[in-house]
Amino acid sequence: MATVEKQSRSGFGPKNDVGELLDRQPPRSVEAERAVIGSLLLLPEACDEVALVVRPDDFYDGAHRAVFSHMMALHDSGRQIDHMLLSQCLRDAGQYESIGGAAYLLELAQEVATAAHAEHYARIVRDKAVLRSLIHASTDIIQEAYETGVDARE
């Protein structure tokens, strides 16, 4: 009896609405995403270190994901990352206006206090992506557990 009461008071018992947890905003750091992109615009040499930490899919914001993906494509093809080349890549892909155009790219570069912390910003982006991945996996497990006819050993 004490265990059931303790669980209910702590929010993990039957009175807890799992839907509330699922309705929350997923973990993300838009600031860190912006800082990664801004850092690479200012210091393209940091691309190798950043690429070891974070992938385009790790970015929560779709515009950031697109910009970073094009930055990595430029880098991987041996071309320099700069505003003009990045803008052209985004135009060619039909994404330039949807990400905010030149004004947004300039804003990203101007916001970064120092590009020297690009790898640190990338770790924050990756860590948030890992947490989102865990939430998705947990949600799938919960859904499967509620399905009738599922063998518990599976």
Side-chain angles (χ1 to χ4, degrees):
M1 176 85 171
T3 305
V4 172
E5 288 177 323
K6 183 177 180 183
Q7 286 179 339
S8 294
R9 281 193 301 254
S10 68
F12 295 109
K15 293 183 181 179
N16 184 25
D17 183 11
V18 175
E20 284 180 30
L21 290 174
L22 299 178
D23 289 339
R24 293 174 60 185
Q25 288 291 321
R28 67 203 178 287
S29 176
V30 175
E31 298 82 6
E33 291 182 11
R34 293 169 63 99
V36 168
I37 295 167
S39 294
L40 294 179
L41 285 170
L42 295 175
L43 186 67
E45 300 80 29
C47 244
D48 288 330
E49 293 83 25
V50 168
L52 292 173
V53 176
V54 70
R55 304 176 327 241
D57 290 341
D58 291 337
F59 287 77
Y60 180 80
D61 185 274
H64 297 158
R65 189 177 317 115
V67 172
F68 184 77
S69 180
H70 288 290
M71 292 175 111
M72 291 296 103
L74 282 170
H75 178 70
D76 292 344
S77 68
R79 294 188 291 174
Q80 182 70 22
I81 295 173
D82 67 17
H83 287 278
M84 181 59 93
L85 291 174
L86 181 58
S87 295
Q88 190 58 52
C89 286
L90 288 162
R91 277 189 194 95
D92 292 347
Q95 297 174 313
Y96 186 69
E97 296 302 323
S98 67
I99 63 101
Y104 190 65
L105 293 176
L106 285 172
E107 183 181 315
L108 291 173
Q110 291 173 345
E111 275 185 10
V112 179
T114 177
H117 300 300
E119 189 177 347
H120 173 71
Y121 304 141
R123 281 193 195 107
I124 294 170
V125 172
R126 183 206 53 217
D127 289 349
K128 299 298 181 183
V130 167
L131 292 173
R132 287 192 307 274
S133 178
L134 289 170
I135 290 169
H136 290 296
S138 300
T139 302
D140 290 345
I141 292 169
I142 290 169
Q143 288 174 342
E144 287 181 27
Y146 275 106
E147 289 183 17
T148 57
V150 173
D151 185 4
R153 289 172 281 191
E154 290 180 28

